Structures are given as structure tokens and as C-alpha cells.
Amino acid sequence: MKKKVFSVLLAAAMLAGCSNGGASTPSAAPADEVKTYKVGVSIYDFNDNFMTLYRNEIEAYFKTLETDDVKYEITMSDGKNDMGEQSNQVDNFITQGMDVIILNLVQTSSADALIDKIVAADIPLVLINREPLAYDENNNTIDEAYEGIINNPTVCYVGADARQSGTFQGEIVAELPDHGDINGDGKVSYIMIEGDPENIDAQYRTEFSIKALTDAGIEVECLDDQIGNWKQENGQTITANALSQFGDKVEVVFCNNDAMALGAYAAIEAAGRKVGEDIYLLGVDALEECVQKVNEGTMTGTVLNDHIGQSHTAVDVAIKALNGEPLDNYYWVDYVKVTK
Ligand code: GAL
């Protein structure tokens, strides 16, 4: 990108030089010509509730930043939760000569392949929502300084630290008068409903929600831990099954996101249980329906996954890249606890 900006400046300087002699060089752009930047955005799956809010805000915010001279032409593509499909979209973005790409990966394990081709095409890249991480297989640890990001000055990641959201979920339970131990048997018996296990958001929320409880000295018992892939219908089925298997033993339902919590709520209601009285229910995202539920007491709490802050940061960073400004490797947006 820097190279591109430089050559544009160079061309402009050369034209300025030429125009001393003859006023109307045909290729000289009029000073007031509108500059339209082409922005390619690929979202992992248009069916995802949270990413729908996020992508709508990307488009809306770009619009607010347009001026008489600068316009943004957004191509918004649905990755359909299919890595092959998304990879083709990126190929098309390159062929179409996008000026910047914003990418919500279907699979973070494919990050390298996509980053490599985008960098080779000299297009700046803003990764969002699904953070690629490198795994150190020898130590079985996660490397949070991803080479594809730290080694490429035109690639960055905008997101939120999912550890924080998990911690907030656990803290909400720890801060309840009975600390989540409704039946008073000295431990919090819970079920965990996980998002896509490939996402660090799912891994960290699962781990850190429980860590917040144990760090507070609370004993825990995991009755069930199932994968719901971020989907409402899965949250409902998993909760319905767990409630019929474990009945009153289930004191807390932790969901890695609000969509699954909405499904869990339907199952809780169908089983004749009452949130806040004989069961607790937690989500993440702060979807409008869930914030309403928290306020009316039919959800115990959620955590704001700030799609406004994240989408605006992603767009601001994309524009920095378009202007040839240097990028940081990572841009972080905070989560916020949501309780009554
Ligand atoms: C999470 C969000 C989920 C889902 C997921 C997709 O941050 O909480 O609801 O959108 O991202 O990667």
C-alpha cells in the first residue's frame, strides 16, 4: 500500500511538473474529482446474529465518513461458513482491485493462505472478530503474536479479548447473593454451551467464566459441556437435553453467546424452570433481546460485545490504511458487563 501511495504521489508530482508548460494534460485529474475507494468485506456467515449487527454497522459507518470528494464502494460478501467460498471471494476482491479488505475469517486456521495472497496483491487487510493464533505444539500453548499480523505492516486485527468476556460471565455469577449455588450443596453445578470450538472466543469464554468462579473460591461441577456453534437452535436442544437429564441439579447455564442463550431460555421456559429463582442464565454479546431479558430478570446477565466500537475501529483503521498511514498490529475494544 505504501508503495502504491508513493507511486500515486510521484505521478501527481510529475503531472504537476508537466502542467507548468501546458495546462490540459488529458490524464490530469481535476482537483475536485471524487475519489471512490473500493472496499471488500467478507463476513464468515450472514446468518450469525452478532456479525449481522457488526456488518450493518460497517456499512452505515463508512457512509457517515463519506464527503463530497471521497466515497466508499463496499462489496459485502457472505462467506456462508464455507472456507472455500470465502477464499474465492478473496480471489475476486484481488481481481477487482479492492483498495482495502476487511475479513472475518471462516476458519482462522486458514489465515496464512489468505493473508499471503492479499499481501502479495499489495492490498491492506483488516482482520476482524476471529483472531488467528499460532499454536506452539511442543508446549501446547497459544502464541498470541501471530506472525501473519506482526510481520506484515499492512495487516492488522481488530477485536475484543475474549478472556475478559468469560471472566465477566463468571464474575456475574460469583456476585449473586448465593454465588450461583441455588441448592446450597456447596458447589455451582453448571452446563456450558460452546460456540465454534475453532474460535478463540469460544475457548476463552469457556475457560475464563469458570476460572472467575474458582478464583473467587467457589467450587464448581460441570454437568455437561456441549458445542452449539453459536446457533440459537443448538442452544435450545442442548439445554433441553441437559435439563431432562440433570433436572434440578442444573443451577447455571453458561452460553458462549447470546444467540445460544436465547435458545437455552426457550428450553428453560419449556421445562417450567424460572431464571433468577431456580436457575441462572448467562450469555455474551448483549443482543437487544437479551439486554431486555436481563432488565426483566429472565436472563441473569450478558456481556456487551461492542459491535459499534469494533466496527468503527475496523473502518477507521481501513481508512488509515487507505491513506497510507502506518497501522498497529492489534486494536482492542473492551467488553462491558451487563446486569440488572
Ligand atoms: C463472537 C460472538 C458470537 C459470534 C462469533 C462469530 O465474538 O460473541 O455471537 O458472532 O463471534 O465468530
Side-chain angles (χ1 to χ4, degrees):
M1 182 60 202
K2 274 182 205 136
K3 264 185 244 141
K4 245 193 212 165
V5 169
F6 178 70
S7 47
V8 169
L9 289 175
L10 191 66
M14 285 164 68
L15 285 172
C18 294
S19 68
N20 287 342
S24 57
T25 311
S27 56
D32 59 354
E33 194 190 322
V34 176
K35 170 75 193 157
T36 301
Y37 289 106
K38 294 204 276 182
V39 182
V41 186
S42 175
I43 299 296
Y44 95 94
D45 189 354
F46 274 13
N47 288 321
D48 182 294
N49 307 24
F50 172 73
M51 287 313 301
T52 298
L53 298 173
Y54 196 135
R55 75 181 144 90
N56 289 341
E57 192 57 32
I58 288 179
E59 287 191 295
Y61 185 56
F62 260 121
K63 277 272 158 269
T64 68
L65 300 177
E66 287 192 331
T67 63
D68 289 345
D69 307 329
V70 178
K71 306 285 177 206
Y72 301 102
E73 188 186 295
I74 320 285
T75 304
M76 186 67 73
S77 308
D78 181 2
K80 299 183 183 154
N81 209 13
D82 176 339
M83 199 56 242
E85 170 86 22
Q86 188 171 53
S87 186
N88 289 339
Q89 284 163 7
V90 166
D91 291 342
N92 290 338
F93 287 167
I94 292 171
T95 318
Q96 290 159 8
M98 292 297 171
D99 295 301
V100 65
I101 294 176
I102 299 178
L103 188 57
N104 171 210
L105 287 162
V106 171
Q107 271 171 12
T108 49
S109 53
S110 301
D112 271 348
L114 272 69
I115 290 174
D116 286 353
K117 51 187 174 186
I118 293 169
V119 168
D122 205 13
I123 302 172
L125 169 64
V126 182
L127 294 161
I128 57 168
N129 171 257
R130 292 186 159 184
E131 185 188 355
L133 297 160
Y135 288 89
D136 180 341
E137 277 159 19
N138 297 327
N139 303 319
N140 205 17
T141 52
I142 292 170
D143 186 348
E144 292 178 345
Y146 188 69
E147 289 196 346
I149 294 173
I150 55 170
N151 292 345
N152 285 311
T154 56
V155 179
C156 68
Y157 174 75
V158 174
D161 182 347
R163 283 172 285 213
Q164 193 185 33
S165 52
T167 302
F168 285 169
Q169 283 190 309
E171 284 178 1
I172 292 171
V173 174
E175 285 156 10
L176 291 166
D178 60 7
H179 315 296
D181 182 12
I182 297 172
N183 58 23
D185 66 352
K187 57 181 193 265
V188 173
S189 305
Y190 68 91
I191 64 167
M192 179 68 67
I193 308 183
E194 298 192 28
D196 180 342
E198 211 234 3
N199 303 165
I200 195 65
D201 287 9
Q203 296 168 31
Y204 277 158
R205 287 176 194 164
T206 299
E207 180 186 347
F208 282 81
S209 52
I210 302 310
K211 185 172 181 300
L213 288 176
T214 54
D215 282 354
I218 296 166
E219 202 180 307
V220 294
E221 175 190 31
C222 177
L223 297 170
D224 204 2
D225 185 335
Q226 300 281 340
I227 289 160
N229 278 323
W230 305 122
K231 294 198 172 106
Q232 181 163 343
E233 58 271 27
N234 297 345
Q236 182 164 354
T237 315
I238 293 167
T239 308
N241 290 343
L243 290 178
S244 76
Q245 189 178 351
F246 302 104
D248 289 349
K249 276 180 133 191
V250 183
E251 295 173 304
V252 180
V253 181
F254 281 107
C255 300
N256 281 175
N257 77 344
D258 275 354
M260 296 190 296
L262 285 171
Y265 178 76
I268 287 170
E269 208 186 20
R273 304 281 296 268
K274 277 214 158 3
V275 174
E277 290 180 22
D278 58 23
I279 197 161
Y280 295 121
L281 174 62
L282 284 300
V284 174
D285 282 340
L287 299 180
E288 213 176 298
E289 307 93 292
C290 294
V291 173
Q292 207 179 322
K293 287 197 158 312
V294 171
N295 288 332
E296 68 191 24
T298 50
M299 253 180 85
T300 312
T302 182
V303 179
L304 171 70
N305 191 1
D306 182 4
H307 72 274
I308 305 269
Q310 290 175 72
S311 55
H312 290 200
T313 306
V315 169
D316 289 341
V317 166
I319 291 175
K320 262 179 192 265
L322 289 172
N323 292 333
E325 291 172 36
L327 304 182
D328 293 346
N329 295 134
Y330 290 92
Y331 295 87
W332 298 110
V333 175
D334 272 331
Y335 284 101
V336 183
K337 235 184 245 185
V338 180
T339 54
K340 201 169 175 184

